[in-house]
Amino acid sequence: MQLDELDRKILDVLQHDARSTLQDIARQVGLSAPGLQKRLTKLENSGLILGHHTLLNRDILGYDLLCFVQVHLSHHELSRVHQFREAVQHMSQVLECYHLTGDTDYLLKVVARNRKDLEHFLVEVLTPAPGVDRIRTSLVLNEVKATTALPLTPEP
C-alpha cells in the first residue's frame, strides 16, 4: 500500500495517542473531520490499522519480572510444532512468541509477578508443553526502549 505524507502524519498521531479525537487529529494534520474520516476508513479497510489497544503498566499490576525465554523443541515434526504453538496461545503470561532461525526455535516474552510465579510458569506450564526439550530464561534488568510505534518514513 502506498502511503502519502498525510497518511503518515495521521498514523503517527494515532500510534502515539490513539485516544485523540477525530477533531484533534484533523487539526494536527490539516484536514477536515470528514476528510480525515475518509482516510481513516481507507486505512482500516486496507488492513493497515489492526486495532486500537490500551497499554497497561505491568509494574502497577504487580508483574515485577519481564523475561525472555528461549525454547528449544525436541522434534520439529509439524504436528508437534502446531501443538506447541497452540499451547502457547493459552499461556496468559506469554505476551509475545516468535519462531526463529538459528539455535533457538522460539523466543517468548513473558511476565511474572515474582520469582516464585516465574518458577511455576517455567516448571509447571512451559516445560511440560508439547515438544519442549529445553529452555533458557533471561531476566530483564531495565527496559531501555519499549515502543509499539512503527517508523513511518517514506520508502526509498
Side-chain angles (χ1 to χ4, degrees):
M1 177 178 184
Q2 292 290 345
L3 297 177
D4 63 20
E5 188 59 30
L6 206 46
D7 290 333
R8 281 191 279 282
K9 285 180 182 178
I10 293 166
L11 292 170
D12 188 56
V13 170
L14 285 173
Q15 283 193 115
H16 291 92
D17 186 5
R19 293 179 63 190
S20 296
T21 66
L22 289 179
Q23 292 78 12
D24 287 341
I25 298 169
R27 187 171 38 258
Q28 288 180 55
V29 301
L31 276 178
S32 66
L36 173 65
Q37 185 60 58
K38 183 177 178 180
R39 281 185 177 255
L40 282 174
T41 300
K42 176 190 78 164
L43 293 168
E44 288 172 350
N45 290 341
S46 74
L48 182 65
I49 296 175
L50 298 177
H52 304 274
H53 307 280
T54 299
L55 299 175
L56 304 178
N57 185 319
R58 66 178 175 77
D59 293 324
I60 291 174
L61 289 172
Y63 291 101
D64 189 47
L65 299 178
L66 180 63
C67 313
F68 287 94
V69 181
Q70 297 173 17
V71 178
H72 301 264
L73 299 183
S74 57
H75 302 308
H76 295 94
E77 299 160 358
L78 194 54
S79 63
R80 278 289 198 201
V81 169
H82 287 304
Q83 289 172 342
F84 174 76
R85 289 180 179 186
E86 180 63 28
V88 168
Q89 296 297 322
H90 301 287
M91 298 176 187
S92 61
Q93 288 177 281
V94 175
L95 302 180
E96 300 172 21
C97 175
Y98 301 97
H99 189 190
L100 305 176
T101 62
D103 294 336
T104 301
D105 294 314
Y106 289 89
L107 181 65
L108 310 180
K109 183 177 180 181
V110 174
V111 292
R113 294 187 183 280
N114 51 44
R115 287 186 324 230
K116 196 163 201 65
D117 188 33
L118 177 61
E119 178 185 21
H120 176 267
F121 172 77
L122 295 174
V123 174
E124 304 294 330
V125 178
L126 183 59
T127 301
V132 172
D133 181 36
R134 66 186 191 279
I135 60 174
R136 179 180 295 159
T137 304
S138 298
L139 299 179
V140 172
L141 296 177
N142 191 328
E143 279 184 56
V144 177
K145 180 179 180 180
T147 183
T148 60
L150 295 173
L152 295 170
T153 55
E155 295 180 27

